[in-house]
Amino acid sequence: MRLSVVGCGYLGAVHAAAMASIGHEVVGIDVDERKIAALSKGEAPFFEPGLQEILTEGIASGRLSFTTDMSAAQGAKVHFVGVGTPQQAGGYAADLTYVNAAVDGLLPYLSEGDIVAGKSTVPVGTAAGLAPRVAERGATLVWNPEFLREGWAVQDTVDPDRLVAGVPTEDGAPSAEGERTAQVLREVYHPSIAKGTPFIVTDYATAELVKVSANAFLATKISFINAIAEIAEVTGADVTTLADAIGHDARIGRRFLGAGIGFGGGCLPKDIRAFSARAEELGRGESVAFLREIDAINLRRRDRAVELTTAALGGSVFEKKVAVLGAAFKPHSDDIRDSPALDVAVRLHGLGAHVTLTDPAAIDNARRIHPQLTYEEDLDTTLRDADAVIVVTEWDEYRRELSPEHAASLARGHVVIDGRNCLDPAAWRAAGWTYFGMGRP
C-alpha cells in the first residue's frame, strides 16, 4: 500500500522506515530541510537502535523516500500524522499548532476514500474537532495512537503489543465508514495482526485516552515507588528490596518500580501535564488532580540526587570534580528532553562543581543545550581524579560493565551516588567506595 507520513521527527521517521520495512511504499514529509536531507541519504537524525538499518534498507529498496513537498502525499491511501504536541509555553496544555498545520497542509491533496490516521498524542476531543475538516475532502479520520518506547521504537512499531484504532461511530459502535477504515488499517498492519497482535477498534475519545492513560499510569507507578523511597530514606528501609517483594504480587508487578531520579523525556512529563490541563477544561480536574503530585514527586527526586551528592562531599560541591555518568533521559537513546540526568548535572555545575559528563550517545545533543559543562567521550577520562561519581542514566556501560575496582583506581575520592539504583552496593563497598543509593541504606 502507498502511505504518507507527515512529520519526520522521532515518531514519524521510525514509523515511515518501519512501514517500508514490512513492504509498504512510504513517503515521509517534513518542513525541516536539514532533517529531510539527512533521511533522504539514509542517515538517521537521532540515535535509535535498529533505525539506521531499516532506514538504509528502505532507501535502497526504493520503497522509502522523504521530501519537504506536501504534494507528494497525493496518491497515498493512508496518511499518518506524527507531528509533535509540545507543552504550551507558560502552561500545561498541549500545543496543537503542528497537528492543525499538518492536517491543513494535507487537505488539498486528499482524495475520496483516503484515510488520515493521527498518531500524535493529543488531548481527548481533538479528533472529533478534526474529523469534519477531513470529511469535507471525502476522506476519513482515524486515530491510531503510538505506544513507542525510546530504545525499542523499531520493535514496538513492527511488532507492537497492541494496536488501537479510533474510528467514526454511530450509537456506540463503529459506523459503516468506521468499519471500512478499520479494515484498511488491518491491511496496513497485517504482519503484526497475523502474529496475534490485538487490534482494538473503538471511538475517537477512547483511542485518544488510551495513550494518555497509559502514560499517566506508568508515571504514577514510577512516582509511587519514588514516594516510598522518600519514606525509606528516613527509616533505614531498602526500597529496592521492598519493590522486589511487592512486585511478586501479580496485581502489582515489578516493572516500573525502580526508584531513582525519576522519569523524563519528551512524553511522560508533558503528557501528564496536558492530561491534567484537559481534565480542567472538561470540568473534571479533580479526577486527575493526583497527577500534579506525581509530577512534584518526580521533580523532587532530582533535588534529592543533588542533596545526596552535596552531603557526600561534606556539605559543598564547590570546586569538587564530579563525574556524571549519563545525559540521556534513559539508556539506548540520545534524547535529552526533560532529562533528569542532564538536569542534575546542570544543577551541580550551578553549585560550583567541576562537572565532567559522559554518555554513550547523547553528548552532542547535551553540548548544544548546555555548553558550560565539560564532556568526555571516554569513560576512564571522565572518572580520572573525580571526587565523586554519580550514575544518572542506567546504561549497561555503567551498571554492568564498569568495574568498581577499576573506577577506584582512577577516581580521587571514592564516593559513588547511584541515582538509578542500578549498581551492586556490596561490590562497590567491597572495592572501597562509600555508596549512596536512592531510598537505600
Side-chain angles (χ1 to χ4, degrees), residues 255-278:
R255 296 189 67 194
F256 291 92
L257 281 182
I261 61 172
F263 57 82
C267 292
L268 258 62
K270 78 170 181 66
D271 287 352
I272 64 171
R273 293 165 190 160
F275 196 6
S276 296
R278 183 57 177 150

Side-chain angles (χ1 to χ4, degrees), residues 325 379 383 389-391 397-409 411 413-418 422-436:
L325 309 190
L379 178 56
L383 294 168
V389 176
I390 179 168
V391 180
E397 285 87 338
Y398 313 143
R399 68 189 185 99
R400 290 181 178 171
E401 298 169 15
L402 178 59
S403 159
E405 291 81 10
H406 177 67
S409 72
H414 294 164
V415 171
V416 61
I417 295 89
D418 187 0
C422 61
L423 305 178
D424 180 350
W428 282 78
R429 285 172 175 145
W433 291 84
T434 301
Y435 172 93
F436 294 88

Side-chain angles (χ1 to χ4, degrees), residues 68 159 231 298 374 415:
T68 58
D159 191 19
I231 304 300
N298 187 57
T374 299
V415 171

Side-chain angles (χ1 to χ4, degrees), residues 261 301-303 305-307 309-310 317 320-328 336 338-359 366-367 370-375 382 390-393 420:
I261 61 172
R301 301 314 290 159
R302 306 179 187 191
D303 297 336
V306 174
E307 291 169 2
T309 308
T310 302
V317 297
K320 299 291 180 67
K321 180 178 179 182
V322 180
V324 177
L325 309 190
I336 60 167
D338 203 358
S339 168
L342 193 53
D343 189 15
V344 167
V346 170
R347 293 191 197 195
L348 290 170
H349 174 82
L351 292 173
H354 298 302
V355 172
T356 303
L357 184 150
T358 190
D359 188 282
R367 184 184 284 116
H370 294 290
Q372 72 272 30
L373 304 180
T374 299
Y375 297 92
T382 304
I390 179 168
V391 180
V392 282
T393 309
R420 293 295 184 180

Side-chain angles (χ1 to χ4, degrees), residues 29 100 239 241 248 272 285 304 327 336 350 371 381 387 427 441:
I29 306 168
N100 286 314
V239 74
T241 303
H248 284 294
I272 64 171
R304 181 58 180 158
I336 60 167
T381 304
D387 295 298

